Structures are given as C-alpha cells and as structure tokens.
Amino acid sequence: YATWRDQFTQMEHMAQNGTYSEHWNLPDGQTFRVTSRPHPDGAFALLFEDISAEISLTRRFRSEIETSQAVLDHFDDAVVVFSSGGHLVMANAAYSKLWGTDLTNGLAHFDLRIEMRKWQNRCTPSRIWTNLREFSDQIGRRVSWQDSAIMDDGRHITCQADPISNGMTLIR
C-alpha cells in the first residue's frame, strides 16, 4: 500500500504539472496511453487513449525488420543495400566481417562513397569500382551486372550489383 500510495502521489504531482504520460499494458493485450492535463484550481484530468492497434502494428513491423535481418545474416555472402541517395540501408554480418564495418551504432553515418573507398583500398587496382560508381549513379532503368576483384590478401571476390525497388542498390 505504501508503494502504491507513493506512486499515486507522484502521479498526481506530475499530472498537475502536465508532465504525466505512461503506457499501461493490460493483461488482455490492450495498451493505453495515459496522459494528464492540468485544470484550474489544482485539478487535473487524465486522458486514457487506446493505442493497442498502434502498438501491435509497431511490434509487427519491428518483428519483420528483425526477421529480415536474421535472414540476411544467415547468408555466407556479404550483402549490403544502399538507398537511391547512397545511404546504407541494411547489411548483413558477413558484410561487416568481410569489410570490417561496425554497424552496432546504427547505419546513419555510412554511405556508398565511403564504403566504396574502403573496398577499393582493400583490393588491387581495378575498373570495378568505377563501374560500380557509374551503376549507382544511374537514374532510370538499370541492368544487374557483376565483375571480379582481387583483395590485397589475394582472395578473389565477385561483386554483383542489382537494382531493387525505389532506386535502391543491392550489392553482393
């Protein structure tokens, strides 16, 4: 009772300031967003909003993203996807391992030009990087292509670039 009373007192104080906002997850799966609005003479109103559908959609979307990432990570080939603007959208674990790219802090600061310089520096000189740059800069209909390169440690790699939806580029 003492803990509940303290929580209620704290909620009352936050509600009077208009700063109270919580999500209440009910046992039946419903989720309510509870917020407060101060009113004259020290009163406050609590607003209960059913956000179950929104939360369910968010959870389903997050699950699909996690599943897609798990599928990509299952492949032995290094796979990376760049947006039409050249920003890294997704990559798998094999890509991170092959090129030493640490994706644990998110994808926001990686772009195709920076990654391509890394690839070029780790391989012997080749026209493949110019072709890849031209492919990624093309607007309109693009045709998949592939070429080979030799890494500085002697490994031969085959690079395949494919156009995918919304002008994105998948490189394997």
Side-chain angles (χ1 to χ4, degrees):
Y1 172 76
T3 303
W4 177 83
R5 184 188 66 208
D6 291 342
Q7 287 176 343
F8 191 80
T9 303
Q10 183 180 12
M11 181 185 76
E12 182 179 15
H13 177 68
M14 291 171 66
Q16 288 173 344
N17 295 330
T19 58
Y20 180 76
S21 180
E22 277 190 4
H23 287 173
W24 290 0
N25 297 307
L26 304 181
D28 67 354
Q30 284 186 297
T31 304
F32 286 92
R33 177 184 298 133
V34 183
T35 55
S36 68
R37 300 283 190 266
H39 282 268
D41 299 325
F44 63 90
L46 291 175
L47 174 67
F48 295 84
E49 180 182 8
D50 185 354
I51 60 168
S52 303
E54 177 184 335
I55 295 296
S56 175
L57 183 63
T58 301
R59 286 179 182 147
R60 191 169 35 245
F61 182 66
R62 189 173 293 136
S63 174
E64 287 176 11
I65 289 172
E66 289 170 356
T67 300
S68 297
Q69 187 64 52
V71 168
L72 271 180
D73 286 342
H74 184 73
F75 295 126
D76 292 333
D77 288 346
V79 177
V80 64
V81 176
F82 293 94
S83 70
S84 60
H87 301 287
L88 195 143
V89 175
M90 62 180 6
N92 67 353
Y95 175 82
S96 295
K97 182 178 177 185
L98 178 66
W99 299 108
T101 303
D102 182 12
L103 301 173
T104 55
N105 293 328
L107 307 173
H109 59 281
F110 294 101
D111 89 5
L112 180 58
R113 302 287 182 216
I114 293 169
E115 292 300 290
M116 206 177 306
R117 266 188 245 120
K118 184 189 311 180
W119 306 337
Q120 193 170 2
N121 290 339
R122 297 260 327 269
C123 293
T124 60
S126 169
R127 177 138 174 84
I128 188 174
W129 312 116
T130 304
N131 294 340
L132 183 56
R133 193 173 299 110
E134 289 171 358
F135 177 82
S136 66
D137 289 343
Q138 280 180 346
I139 298 174
R141 191 177 182 306
R142 299 180 295 166
V143 178
S144 298
W145 69 266
Q146 75 177 34
D147 202 348
S148 297
I150 301 172
M151 295 186 70
D152 55 9
D153 63 4
R155 286 184 288 170
H156 290 259
I157 59 170
T158 300
C159 175
Q160 179 170 333
D162 296 298
I164 56 176
S165 65
N166 299 322
M168 290 190 273
T169 302
L170 179 137
I171 301 172
R172 182 174 61 91

